[in-house]
Amino acid sequence: MNTKVYLGVDIGAESGRLIAGLFDGHKIELAEVHRFPNNPVRINGSLRWDILRLWHEIQQGLVFAAKRYPGQIQSIGVDTWGVDFAPFNKRDEMLGHPVHYRDHRHDGMMEWALGKVSAQDIYRITGLQFLPFNSLFQLLAFKQAQPELLTQVDRILLIPDVLHWLLCGSRVIEY
């Protein structure tokens, strides 16, 4: 039986990597194909994801994987920190560089939100623990910092979904 290869892109806090999961019908083996740094960049005083450099590194990893496993690659998936996002307009354009969860624009947003909506109601709706950089609080910071840009937003994609969009052009978000 031919070995099938399933690629995973894992973007961690300080590095990213492309991993091949090899399945021969009986057992699974993992092999690192490519590793690269993941460092946010400061743009106009704001900490941002260096999404274009990450995209370049992912493409490099795909080239390495295609050479190493010709004709065997079945699929690819991406995993990153799950709270950061990029806004998109109706023309399928990303509106700026995604803000990084470590950026200070989120400071105070959780407390502001809890002054408007109870913690119990937020938890009932989201089921998430309260962290000051959660997407909800980042969206509030985005609205406060760039209200004019918010009017152009058609949808947001979380960072893994941004990378999936770059891979295949599909603007969908995991539920």
Side-chain angles (χ1 to χ4, degrees):
M1 174 178 238
N2 289 340
T3 298
K4 294 182 179 181
V5 177
Y6 302 88
L7 299 177
V9 177
D10 176 35
I11 309 290
E14 295 184 9
S15 69
R17 60 192 180 149
L18 194 109
I19 301 292
L22 298 96
F23 182 61
D24 67 2
H26 302 288
K27 68 179 188 246
I28 297 172
E29 292 182 34
L30 299 178
E32 185 175 291
V33 176
H34 182 50
R35 183 176 288 270
F36 48 91
N38 176 24
N39 300 309
V41 293
R42 191 158 299 280
I43 301 173
N44 291 331
S46 181
L47 203 56
R48 306 294 181 123
W49 280 78
D50 194 353
I51 202 81
L52 297 177
R53 190 182 53 73
L54 293 175
W55 172 231
H56 171 76
E57 293 291 351
I58 291 167
Q59 290 177 85
Q60 289 295 106
L62 292 174
V63 169
F64 298 152
K67 287 179 182 175
R68 191 167 170 182
Y69 307 108
Q72 295 173 276
I73 298 171
Q74 306 297 305
S75 66
I76 183 168
V78 180
D79 179 54
T80 75
W81 182 247
V83 298
D84 297 344
F85 61 87
F88 282 76
N89 67 18
K90 288 182 181 184
R91 292 188 309 265
D92 207 24
E93 298 167 324
M94 189 167 49
L95 300 174
H97 299 279
V99 176
H100 196 274
Y101 71 95
R102 292 179 179 161
D103 188 72
H104 289 292
R105 80 164 53 180
H106 313 123
D107 294 353
M109 287 293 113
M110 182 171 75
E111 294 78 14
W112 184 86
L114 292 174
K116 301 287 183 190
V117 180
S118 75
Q120 293 81 9
D121 285 343
I122 292 174
Y123 183 79
R124 183 178 45 76
I125 293 166
T126 67
L128 298 175
Q129 64 180 323
F130 286 87
L131 298 170
F133 45 75
N134 278 352
S135 303
L136 170 62
F137 311 126
Q138 289 197 43
L139 283 165
L140 291 170
F142 178 57
K143 180 181 177 189
Q144 185 179 55
Q146 297 176 289
E148 70 290 344
L149 191 59
L150 188 59
T151 64
Q152 299 174 40
V153 176
D154 178 55
R155 74 178 65 200
I156 64 167
L157 296 181
L158 297 172
I159 298 300
D161 300 312
V162 171
L163 295 169
H164 285 132
W165 168 73
L166 288 167
L167 283 163
C168 68
S170 180
R171 285 191 315 157
V172 296
I173 193 164
E174 183 180 339
Y175 175 67

